[in-house]
Each structure stands twice: as structure tokens, then as C-alpha cells.
Amino acid sequence: MKETPPNYLDEHSVSSWLLTTDHKRIGILYLLSIVVYFAIAAVAAALMRINLLTPQGDLVLPETYNKLFTLHGVMMVWFFLIPSIPAVLGNFVIPMMIGARDVAFPKLNLLSWYLFNIGGLCALYAVICGGVDTGWTFYTPYSTTYANGHVVTMIMGVFIAGFGSILTGLNFLITIHKMRAPGMTWFRLPLFIWSLYSTSVILVLATPVLAITLLAIAVERLWGVGIFDPNLGGDPVLFQHMFWFYSHPAVYIMILPGMGVVSELITCFSRKRIFGYHFVAFSSLAIAVVGFMVWGHHMFVSSQSIYAGMVFSVLSFIVAVPSAIKIFNWTATLYKGSISYDTPMLYAFGFIGLFTIGGLTGLFLAAIAVDVHLHDTYFVIAHFHYIMVGGMVLSFMGGLHYWWPKITGRMYPEAIGRTAAIVTFIGFNLTFFPQFLLGYLGQPRRYHAYPPEFQVFHVLSTAGASILGIGYLLPLLYFLWSLKFGARAPANPWNATGLEWETASPPPRDNFEEIPIVTEDPYSYPPEPEEEAKPEPQHA
Amino acid sequence: MNFHLLPPEASAVARESDWMFWSLTALSLLICGLVFLPLCWFAIKYRRGRKVDRKLTAEVAMWKIEVTWTVIPFVIAMGLFTWSADAFFRMETPPPGAIEINVVGKQWMWKLQHAEGAREINELHIPRGVPVKLTMISQDVIHDFFVPAFRMKQDVVPGRYTTECFTPIKTGRYHLFCAQYCGTTHAAMIGWVYVMEPQDYRRWLQQGSPEPLAARGEALFHTLGCSGCHGASSKIHAPPIEGVYGHLVPLETKEFVMADDKYIRDSIVLPASQIVAGYQNLMPSFKGRISEEDLMALTAYIKSIADQTPEGYPK
Amino acid sequence: MPDHSPVHAHQFETLEQQHDADTMGMWTFLATEVLFFGGLIMCYTFGRFSYPQAFEAASHRLYVGYGGPNTAILLCSSFTMALAARAAQLGRKRKATALLILTALFGVGFLIVKGFEYHTDYLEELVPRFRFHWDGPEAAHAELFFWLYFVLTGLHAMHVTIGVVILMIVAVLSWRGRITAEKYVTVEIIGLYWHFVDIVWVFLFPLLYLIGHR
């Protein structure tokens, strides 16, 4: 068996991991952390879905159910989705993709991981102490005045983790601006970088507002100062404005990186340049910017003024356009490509299908008159799961499979990889498509029990969730298996373009022996040999 | 038309809301087709290893293609926005002649009172064909009054009134749900809306000969001591109550404010926040001492004497 | 040929690249601070528009006799900070060190005045929840004003304190000759942070102390 050359994984001591400043190791540390939080949140979801098999909701007490959906939301949003692609794949890949040796501030990078986990432990402590039942949205005055439990502890967890994500975003912005290799101009950057750049803008500008909002809840809860509770002289709808001003851009943090991954996968596995590079690049920025202006579409029936509702509705329609542009460009990229069905590509196809559906259902919610009916029903749940799971999780899995050889130096088993992708796709649709119908029929969210006529949809959904669970479990198992038994990966197993493929798998500690010089546009895949009808004219 | 898969269309706006919903569905299917069919077609036709012409023509038309598939979705989006915004305006504007019903939401029940005096818990009886305007407030946290069959919902907020209007067009019994998470048994804060033929409704209203809301408000006006200052024979210089509702009131800050439900409620609960011009800040606050239902009863009484004219106020 | 003097961090190729990155990093960090304070100022704006009389009455209880001199102190400190950065850029070690210490002293002066002011607020029963008494109407809204006042000025004072500590550390480094003309960017970046802290105060002072044509 060939010895692998010296690489960043060689040192095995605990301190070499816990005190590392190597962006690649930090990416792996994040991966381990988010898998744990994901597992906790998934168990919460499983309990919820089992409880919903019967209309009376027999499995758990109402209060327990409420704590479960709160836990699921908090863990999935802040401790899984937001860090997933940026802190795992972004940390690992960005410096190599731009031809740098590390991120701009490696020590801040490590600090961000610690902040993230201190926050996570704080949130879990709140759960162990008895949990929180406010929902991940912490609406007031329920969360400030009426909720029992360890709301402040949970909020502190999110608050601390938020600083971790600000540091990650800051690091990425400076890295992308200042550390590109010679010749790597802005329009030679892979689209993954453009989308993570846009994500980082949101991370840096939106998260501080969340911090203030959470601080305000804590102050009101602890010291009774009336900001949100009308009995104390406050305004409960002010909370919603402040919360959604952050949380709507946050959902773009939870999709833009996925779109970046899809651009990489589509080009590599159809061996073609992206169609409309500039449009895809600028659409990421457009989504980030316009995404700050639409928060009121969560509040159409909140007693917000009709005119404010109009403004938010039109902007919400507008923010859909750049996403549509990406979908069309990705599809056009496939035209006359040379398409292979490797596991990452299956996830990319899944993304296009499911994100399209999720995004289109967003139009239903942007249409203010229709939103009046659909707001706070299962339709909304289905909509955001199509995007966050069908979109972001699928692209995270696709990216993880794509870069796994680079990260670990091993190949995962391809046949079972494809099987898991298909199982995930089927399980996902069975879980969440019935929820669109449930929502239209009027079943509200956050109900532990429901009228009997809705049962058939819930049963279908729970059945789908079990299949989806298998789809998640399989990669966990075979990725672990591949670490010991997977085939050793060459430097460029996919024959992809991109600087990260020009260094060994796994890479050396400083990424490159010599910093490369970039002379080509991204995705310059050569034409397929058998298609040459005539020999190419020779260039001097 | 009433399939099992569709909620009943029981209000005047339900049909339009459904038209929009199903048009959006049709549009979505179209766009899915426009994306998925080429996707599958390309994925099969251009599968690696298949001998097929992959020679790309020069990219002359790229800008045109990009602009086309930017502009067309944008135009469609604007069309959808306009249609929906127009419908929303109509949904939010109370039609004339609406019967007014008060709703108080609290953890975890709905309390409703009709102007004629009938009071209900978790149920709402209303006549077919007559517009209804609900004036709602919460006693504690935010709730939401959701009737899927009417395609209407509105948050019910503590500290301020919100309104919800609908015109039922079909008799029947329809679900009422709380649609804003409000705590432990949020899922049990549900009930029924009964739409009845108008003559059945009138009969139902008279059951138990209830006291009309305005009369109850007048009684409260005396028992709570309001008449001590605001009554005709009072020696305290307090703003008159007759003819106030629905008119502009001058404040000592030189602004004018409309005397609507919110103004009446604020005057009772936070009297110091809006002093009427020419009067002193003498009124004690009734915050915490009067329930939301009683506040609504007092408002109904004050509304009932809105036609009487006190001197010195602009119309 | 590798560049041996002065040594840059391993992830960078040149010292200039490191300085560029550090400077942009500070600007980006300040952008997050703008949003952080901005969120609080939005709360304040909401309160100011919703309860104008209560906020005005509350604002009148703050002493311009404390706030005014504090504004002057910070403005002077920004001036000495700019001079310090210039001195560092020119390699004038003594001058830079002295100016850094002077800036830090101004910062300490600000904090001392603030300390006296908080003490006065405490004596006058203007501390929400802990020691608050309000005679006029709308006590809840006046208390909201004071909550915003304490959180805004408290957070600001925390930033001043952190700035003072960093200034002293950099002053020591400068005295030891570690801030050479090539590495003066460190002083410039601290300067950015300090100017930002000053600007925040320039916003807070009129918003909190000067409501209603005083």
C-alpha cells in the first residue's frame, strides 16, 4: 500500500486538533460539531413526527412537543444550517480555491469554532435544565413574560454562537478580497466563492442585529424593562421587526452557499463552463442585498400597515428573480455537456428540482392575499423545508461527497452513495409534499394535536421521514467506513478544474508547494475528445 | 364545488383566494416543466459516453437569453403582485353595514361578544350573506384568529385592537384555529364558526334575552365611577363623552387625533398619554382594573352616543 | 528570495498583503459594530417616536455638564490618536508612545466622568429596575429611555475600556521599539477603532442628552 505524502492530517495529538489554526482542520472540527447538533435536532424531529401519527398527539405531552419543535428549530438553524457549508466546506475549500495558504485570520477562525460550541453547549444546557417552549422565533410577549423555562440560557447560547458566525464571515470577506493568487481576478473566481462572499456580507451585517434583539429579550425577561410587553409599555410587533430583520437575511445564509456548491457540481459533472457566469455571480449579490429588504413578509397579518405589506410583497417577488436566473443558467449549462451521474451530481439534480419547487411556493407566500390564508400553516413549513433540506442539505451532501477525496484522501463507495442520494430524495418528497396540502387545508403550525381529517397527510409525512432518516444515516456510515477502507484518492479524482484540485489529496499543511498563478477563466473544461469532427486548428 | 381535498369556499373572498392559489399552482407546474423537462432531456441526451454533437455554437445570443429570462419572470412577478395586492386591499377594508363582533383571545380560549349581547366561548355564530367585522384584542400573548374556510386570518395582539372582516356565503360549520403559537395548549385553542340563515341567526341572538353590549357598557360607566367626572352633573371639568366617537379630538400638544376604538381604550388605560386640549391630566388609569371585554362594552356605549353633539368640537 | 525582515504571518505572501488584510479586517469589524449599535439606536428611534414626551422629560434629567465635557474629551483623544498614528508612520517612537499614552489617559478621563455620572444617576433614582423612581406620567416609557441610555452608554464605555487597554498594550510595544515604520499599520488600525468609538459617542450625545431644544 502506497504511503501518502506528508499532509495536514499527519499530526494526531489532541492539542494539534484543539489548538489548530489550519483552516482545513477547523473545517473538520466544525463538521464533527454540526453532525452532533444535527443528530439532536433530528431526534427531536423524529419524536415530533411520531407524535403526529395520531390526531390526539399521544406520544408526548403538549409542553414537551413545544419544547421539541423549539429545540429542532434552534439547533437546525443556528447550529447546523448556518455553519454547515460556510464553516465546513467554506473553511476547507476557500483558501485552496483562491490559491492561498490559509484564511486571513487563522486564530480568529479557531476562536469562532470555540464560540460556536460554547454557544451550543449553553443551548444544550438550557435543554437539559428542562427546555424552552417559545419556538425558535421567540415571539414576544410570550418569550419575555409568559414562558417558563430557561429562555435566557438558550438565548445566550445563540448570542454567543452568533459571534462565531460573525468572525467566520469577516474572515471570509478579507480572505477573498486580499488573498487571491496572482491572476485570480474577481471574474476568474469560481462561483462558490461568489456565493460565500455574498453569504459573508449577510453574516457580518445581519448577525449583530440578532444579537441586540436577543439581548433585548433577556433584559426584558430578567429586569422587566418594557420593550416588547404592552403591559410594561412596550410593543410586541417591534420584536417581530427586529427579529425578522436578521432572520430573513439569515435564510439566505442558509441557501446561498448551497447555490455556490451546485455551480461547482454542475460544471464539473457536465464538464462544461457555466452558462452566464456573470449573471450567476451577480445574482448572489443581488439576493444578499434585496434579502435585507423583505423581512416584513413574515408579518403580513401581524397588524403591520397595509402599505408596508405592499412594499414587502413587491420586494419579495423581486428577490425571487435572481434565484430563477440561477436555475435557468444551471439548466442551460447542461446543454451539450458531458453528464455523469456521480453521487455529487445526483445531489445537484435533486437540489435543482427541490429548490425550484421550494422557491415557487415562496411566490404563494409573497402574494399577500394568498399569504393571509397560508401564513402559519404547514404550507410554510413545507416551503422552507423544501429550500433548507431539499436545497441546502442536499447541496451540503453533494459538496461533502465532491470534496471528500480532497479532505480525507479517500473515496467513498460510489454505488451506495448514489443509492443514499435517491433514498434521500424520495424520503424527502414523501415527508414534505403532503404538508403543502395540509397547509392549504388549514392545518396550523406548532400543533401537537389536530382534527382527525388531517391524519392521512401526517401519516404519509411520518412515513417519508423514516425513509429520509435512512438517507441521512447511510452517508454517515459509509463516510466513516471510507476513512479506513475507502480507495485512496488521487489529487483530482473528478478531473475538475479549480485550484484545490491542483494540490494533493489530502493537501499539505500549507496547501500548495508554490502559490499557483492563474491564467484561465473558471470551468475551462476542454471539449470532449470524441466530439472533434475535424482536428482543432493549432494555435501558435 | 367541494372536493375532499379542498377546504370549503365559505366566504366572499375565498373563491378569489383559491383562484390565485390554483393559478400560482398552474404557473409553478409550468415553470417546473420548463426546468425539469430540459433537465431530464439534457441529462439523458448528453450522458457521458454517448456519441452526440456537443459542438457549441458561438455565444452570440447569451445576453439576449439572460435578459429574456430575467425580464419575463420579473413581469410575471409584478403581475402576480398587482393581482394579489388588489385582492388584499379589498380583504382588509370593512364593507359598509358590517355587523361588529368583539373578540378577546387569551391562553387558551376565544371569547366573543355580539353587539346585541350574545356571548360565546370558542364559537362564533354569524348570518350568511352579511359582512362581519371582528374587533380583536388579546389578554396576554399574540394569538391569531384563523378560519380556513374563509381564507382569512389576523393576529390578535395584546395592547392594541386588530380587525378582521369577512362575508360568509355558505351556511355550515367551519373550523376556527389559533394560528400564532401561544403556549402549551395552542393546539387546543380551536373552535367552530357557525354560519346560519339570517332568520335563524336573529332567533339565535335572542336566546336568553341578553343585555346589549352598549347597555352593559352604560351600566359599567356608572359602576366604575366614570360618570363621576364625565357625567352631565359632574363638578369635575372632564371631557364630555357624547358625540366623541368617530370625530377628531384636539389634544393639548396641538395635534388632532381620531376618536376610534384605540383612542377610547388608550384614554381609559393610559389617560396621561393623550390629554384633551383645555383639560388637566387628572384621570386615573384603569390599567389592570378593567377587563378587555369591559373595555369593549364601554366603547360600544360611547359609540352608541356618538350622534349626540357636545359644544365646541369640530366635526 | 524569501523576505526576512520584517517577518509576516505565514498565511500571507508579503507584509503589505498582511497590512491590507488587517486594515480591511478592522473596517469590516467596525461595520458589524455599526449594525450592533444601529440596532439599539433603532430601538431608541422607535421609543422616541412612540413616546416623545416621556423621552424628552427623561432626557432632561441627564446632565449636559457630564455629557458635554465627555464629548470634548473624546474629540481631543481622537486628535491625539491621529497624531500618534502619524508619529508611528514616521518612525518617531517616543512621540508615538507619548501620544498613545495621552490618548489612553483621555479615555480614562472619559470613563471617570462617566463613573461620576452613573453615580449621580443612581442617587437620583434613575437606574431601571434596581433604583428607579419617576414622578411624572408614563413612568414605564421613561424607564425605557433610561434602559436604552444605560445599555447604549454602558456598551460604549465597555468599548472605550477595551480601547484603553489596547492603547496601553500598543504603547508598551511602541516603547519597546516593536512598532517600526513598516509595522505602523497596527497603530493605524487601533486608530480606526478609536475614531469609531468617538463617532458613536458623537451620535449618542445629542440623541440622549439633547432632546427638545435645550
Side-chain angles (χ1 to χ4, degrees):
Chain A
M1 185 114 94
K2 231 168 43 175
E3 280 275 318
T4 42
N7 60 66
Y8 79 102
L9 289 169
D10 284 337
E11 258 247 61
H12 291 146
S13 66
V14 170
S15 63
S16 74
W17 279 99
L18 292 181
L19 294 177
T20 182
T21 53
D22 180 354
H23 66 100
K24 303 183 286 300
R25 287 192 172 217
I26 293 177
I28 293 179
L29 289 175
Y30 265 106
L31 177 62
L32 296 172
S33 310
I34 66 172
V35 166
V36 171
Y37 297 124
F38 179 84
I40 295 169
V43 167
L47 291 170
M48 284 157 62
R49 281 261 44 103
I50 296 173
N51 181 77
L52 289 170
L53 278 173
T54 56
Q56 303 82 1
D58 296 320
L59 184 73
V60 294
L61 291 173
E63 192 169 336
T64 310
Y65 182 87
N66 300 339
K67 290 177 181 175
L68 285 172
F69 72 67
T70 303
L71 174 65
H72 176 77
V74 170
M75 284 284 127
M76 283 299 191
V77 168
W78 283 302
F79 296 98
F80 174 67
L81 278 169
I82 284 182
S84 59
I85 294 180
V88 175
L89 299 175
N91 258 323
F92 196 93
V93 170
I94 289 178
M96 292 196 292
M97 219 182 224
I98 64 173
R101 298 200 179 281
D102 208 312
V103 291
F105 307 117
K107 295 196 192 110
L108 284 187
N109 206 4
L110 182 67
L111 176 63
S112 81
W113 182 75
Y114 276 103
L115 288 172
F116 171 67
N117 279 302
I118 292 170
L121 289 172
C122 209
L124 288 177
Y125 177 70
V127 174
I128 293 169
C129 284
V132 168
D133 71 339
T134 57
W136 80 277
T137 48
F138 298 110
Y139 268 28
T140 59
Y142 184 72
S143 63
T144 49
T145 313
Y146 294 84
N148 295 316
H150 299 261
V151 177
V152 176
T153 313
M154 180 74 94
I155 281 177
M156 279 299 110
V158 178
F159 183 84
I160 295 169
F163 284 103
S165 55
I166 291 175
L167 287 178
T168 300
L170 187 149
N171 231 331
F172 288 173
L173 285 174
I174 283 72
T175 305
I176 295 169
H177 266 276
K178 296 292 179 186
M179 295 176 71
R180 286 168 281 130
M184 177 67 89
T185 59
W186 281 96
F187 293 122
R188 284 188 182 156
L189 284 169
L191 289 165
F192 183 61
I193 305 290
W194 278 97
S195 70
L196 277 174
Y197 182 87
S198 309
T199 306
S200 301
V201 170
I202 306 176
L203 278 168
V204 152
L205 295 182
T207 317
V209 180
L210 174 74
I212 290 296
T213 310
L214 295 176
L215 195 67
I217 299 178
V219 165
E220 180 155 336
R221 204 172 156 82
L222 292 172
W223 296 311
V225 179
I227 312 151
F228 302 128
D229 188 342
N231 281 330
L232 301 170
D235 179 354
V237 181
L238 173 66
F239 171 79
Q240 296 179 36
H241 281 291
M242 291 177 70
F243 179 80
W244 287 114
F245 184 80
Y246 159 78
S247 294
H248 191 83
V251 314
Y252 293 112
I253 297 174
M254 297 190 274
I255 192 58
L256 277 169
M259 293 169 156
V261 169
V262 169
S263 291
E264 300 304 310
L265 300 180
I266 296 273
T267 48
C268 172
F269 293 98
S270 55
R271 305 202 62 70
K272 236 193 106 203
R273 301 194 120 95
I274 193 91
F275 190 91
Y277 172 92
H278 289 77
F279 277 81
V280 179
F282 284 121
S283 68
S284 292
L285 288 176
I287 291 171
V289 170
V290 181
F292 273 95
M293 305 185 210
V294 300
W295 76 90
H297 66 222
H298 301 268
M299 300 165 58
F300 284 146
V301 295
S302 69
S303 77
Q304 175 177 265
S305 90
I306 299 183
Y307 302 100
M310 295 294 136
V311 170
F312 286 120
S313 175
V314 72
L315 286 165
S316 303
F317 275 106
I318 290 173
V319 82
V321 174
S323 295
I325 292 174
K326 284 185 194 256
I327 296 277
F328 300 143
N329 276 295
W330 287 323
T331 310
T333 302
L334 297 172
Y335 177 64
K336 291 196 172 172
S338 170
I339 299 170
S340 74
Y341 298 162
D342 296 285
T343 305
M345 187 58 156
L346 292 184
Y347 280 111
F349 282 142
F351 178 103
I352 294 180
L354 300 177
F355 174 76
T356 302
I357 295 174
L360 287 168
T361 53
L363 294 179
F364 289 67
L365 299 170
I368 191 169
V370 180
D371 182 75
V372 171
H373 178 57
L374 298 173
H375 169 76
D376 230 85
T377 65
Y378 263 77
F379 192 94
V380 179
I381 298 183
H383 158 73
F384 65 69
H385 280 91
Y386 261 81
I387 301 192
M388 295 208 261
V389 181
M392 187 73 158
V393 174
L394 254 62
S395 58
F396 176 64
M397 296 299 272
L400 201 57
H401 283 77
Y402 181 57
W403 280 300
W404 189 257
K406 182 59 56 181
I407 296 172
T408 61
R410 301 276 185 168
M411 294 302 292
Y412 60 87
E414 182 63 37
I416 192 171
R418 296 184 195 188
T419 310
I422 294 171
V423 167
T424 303
F425 184 81
I426 293 172
F428 172 84
N429 277 303
L430 187 57
T431 310
F432 289 106
F433 196 84
Q435 294 187 6
F436 283 126
L437 303 168
L438 258 184
Y440 175 63
L441 285 168
Q443 149 106 64
R445 295 172 66 168
R446 299 172 163 173
Y447 270 33
H448 75 280
Y450 52 84
E453 64 258 36
F454 295 141
Q455 185 175 21
V456 66
F457 299 101
H458 280 290
V459 171
L460 286 171
S461 188
T462 303
S466 3
I467 300 173
L468 184 59
I470 296 174
Y472 289 147
L473 201 55
L474 286 172
L476 178 66
L477 297 174
Y478 65 66
F479 274 140
L480 285 172
W481 175 92
S482 78
L483 290 176
K484 197 110 198 308
F485 303 110
R488 293 224 183 250
N492 193 352
W494 311 114
N495 263 316
T497 63
L499 293 178
E500 75 268 27
W501 301 109
E502 290 181 19
T503 184
S505 301
R509 170 63 173 87
D510 275 337
N511 297 341
F512 301 97
E513 305 292 328
E514 290 228 355
I515 296 293
I517 296 181
V518 179
T519 52
E520 283 188 331
D521 283 342
Y523 320 118
S524 323
Y525 287 96
E528 289 292 293
E530 67 261 41
E531 274 27 90
E532 300 305 288
K534 324 189 252 276
E536 280 243 300
Q538 293 300 311
H539 296 285
Chain B
M1 290 222 286
N2 215 352
F3 301 114
H4 281 301
L5 268 187
L6 305 179
E9 285 176 353
S11 80
V13 301
R15 162 97 2 137
E16 188 170 10
S17 174
D18 280 355
W19 261 107
M20 257 184 277
F21 183 87
W22 292 111
S23 305
L24 281 161
T25 306
L27 176 71
S28 303
L29 284 168
L30 177 68
I31 294 177
C32 283
L34 285 173
V35 171
F36 298 167
L37 293 172
L39 187 104
C40 295
W41 176 239
F42 296 156
I44 296 170
K45 177 170 179 183
Y46 296 107
R47 188 169 181 176
R48 192 166 302 173
R50 287 194 75 204
K51 284 195 167 39
V52 76
D53 176 28
R54 290 190 170 90
K55 198 94 172 246
L56 283 168
T57 51
E59 293 175 1
V60 271
M62 197 190 81
W63 277 91
K64 290 193 194 142
I65 295 175
E66 295 281 358
V67 168
T68 306
W69 68 36
T70 305
V71 168
I72 292 180
F74 178 77
V75 167
I76 294 175
M78 291 300 104
L80 290 168
F81 162 71
T82 311
W83 182 13
S84 158
D86 176 60
F88 183 68
F89 262 116
R90 278 180 278 113
M91 283 159 106
E92 295 292 303
T93 316
I99 56 179
E100 302 199 0
I101 297 176
N102 294 332
V103 178
V104 176
K106 80 182 260 294
Q107 287 172 323
W108 287 280
M109 59 195 277
W110 295 105
K111 298 186 277 191
L112 298 95
Q113 38 189 21
H114 298 247
E116 296 83 351
R119 298 160 87 164
E120 316 191 60
I121 303 249
N122 292 335
E123 290 184 344
L124 173 63
H125 287 77
I126 42 180
R128 180 182 60 79
V130 181
V132 171
K133 175 179 158 196
L134 301 178
T135 301
M136 312 188 287
I137 193 165
S138 164
Q139 251 176 252
D140 39 39
V141 298
I142 302 181
H143 303 276
D144 188 291
F145 196 91
F146 177 35
V147 186
F150 295 166
R151 313 292 187 276
M152 275 305 289
K153 64 163 65 73
Q154 175 66 48
D155 276 5
V156 179
V157 183
R160 77 176 70 167
Y161 291 122
T162 55
T163 57
E164 184 174 344
C165 321
F166 40 76
T167 305
I169 57 174
K170 221 163 104 110
T171 56
R173 183 180 82 143
Y174 308 110
H175 280 297
L176 160 64
F177 294 127
C178 176
Q180 181 62 252
Y181 176 70
C182 55
T184 311
T185 46
H186 165 62
M189 192 165 164
I190 64 178
W192 295 102
V193 176
Y194 295 92
V195 179
M196 318 163 85
E197 290 298 336
Q199 59 270 30
D200 295 329
Y201 174 70
R202 276 192 291 276
R203 220 174 308 129
W204 177 87
L205 274 178
Q206 295 317 312
Q207 281 173 17
S209 314
E211 186 189 21
L213 196 60
R216 196 160 76 76
E218 186 173 6
L220 282 166
F221 187 76
H222 294 287
T223 53
L224 286 171
C226 322
S227 53
C229 297
H230 293 281
S233 55
S234 158
K235 304 238 177 10
I236 315 270
H237 182 54
I241 304 296
E242 304 79 6
V244 168
Y245 189 88
H247 298 105
L248 288 169
V249 175
L251 299 178
E252 60 158 18
T253 55
K254 315 239 189 343
E255 303 168 308
F256 281 82
V257 69
M258 173 58 68
D260 55 10
D261 288 13
K262 171 177 157 59
Y263 173 76
I264 304 293
R265 185 177 181 279
D266 286 348
S267 301
I268 300 171
V269 165
L270 290 170
S273 63
Q274 290 170 307
I275 315 286
V276 180
Y279 294 90
Q280 305 242 299
N281 181 11
L282 291 175
M283 178 170 166
S285 164
F286 284 78
K287 191 163 150 176
R289 303 195 334 210
I290 176 168
S291 70
E292 296 293 345
E293 294 96 309
D294 286 347
L295 279 165
M296 285 164 152
L298 280 168
T299 306
Y301 166 60
I302 294 171
K303 241 190 255 189
S304 71
I305 53 176
D307 299 330
Q308 303 168 21
T309 321
E311 326 78 271
Y313 281 85
K315 290 281 184 291
Chain C
M1 266 273 282
D3 182 353
H4 279 303
S5 73
V7 176
H8 53 84
H10 84 281
Q11 68 268 23
F12 295 108
E13 294 300 296
T14 65
L15 193 61
E16 190 190 345
Q17 187 188 35
Q18 177 173 336
H19 287 163
D20 266 350
D22 290 346
T23 307
M24 187 182 169
M26 178 52 79
W27 279 108
T28 308
F29 170 69
L30 294 180
T32 71
E33 295 273 58
V34 167
L35 266 299
F36 197 71
F37 278 98
L40 280 168
I41 292 182
M42 276 298 118
C43 271
Y44 163 91
T45 309
F46 159 77
R48 172 100 178 250
F49 274 98
S50 304
Y51 320 120
Q53 292 101 341
F55 267 46
E56 184 166 335
S59 168
H60 287 185
R61 295 291 300 275
L62 293 176
Y63 288 99
V64 177
Y66 284 118
N70 256 352
T71 310
I73 290 173
L74 276 189
L75 287 171
C76 288
S77 76
S78 261
F79 181 57
T80 56
M81 182 72 233
L83 290 175
R86 181 78 182 129
Q89 188 177 24
L90 293 174
R92 312 271 288 274
K93 179 184 89 166
R94 274 217 183 82
K95 191 165 172 193
T97 309
L99 285 164
L100 284 168
I101 294 176
L102 188 54
T103 308
L105 285 175
F106 274 126
V108 171
F110 175 92
L111 290 170
I112 291 175
V113 172
K114 201 89 204 115
F116 278 115
E117 185 178 11
Y118 279 166
H119 181 66
T120 309
D121 294 329
Y122 178 79
L123 290 176
E124 298 198 354
E125 298 184 297
L126 296 172
V127 183
R129 181 64 167 199
F130 295 108
R131 196 178 151 100
F132 191 79
H133 180 74
W134 188 260
D135 274 323
E138 298 190 84
H141 301 150
E143 195 172 4
L144 177 64
F145 173 89
F146 279 100
W147 174 79
L148 283 162
Y149 161 77
F150 276 105
V151 171
L152 279 164
T153 59
L155 269 172
H156 177 261
M158 191 186 86
H159 282 77
V160 171
T161 309
I162 293 172
V164 165
V165 169
I166 296 179
L167 279 168
M168 289 312 299
I169 294 175
V170 175
V172 168
L173 289 175
S174 170
W175 181 248
R176 296 216 184 127
R178 304 270 288 277
I179 310 286
T180 58
E182 288 99 352
K183 290 197 103 175
Y184 91 98
V185 168
T186 310
V187 180
E188 192 171 79
I189 289 172
I190 303 306
L192 279 176
Y193 175 80
W194 192 256
H195 294 314
F196 172 77
V197 167
D198 189 12
I199 290 176
V200 169
W201 180 259
V202 166
F203 272 87
L204 292 186
F205 177 63
L207 285 178
L208 293 170
Y209 290 78
L210 302 180
I211 302 181
H213 314 293
R214 296 189 64 183

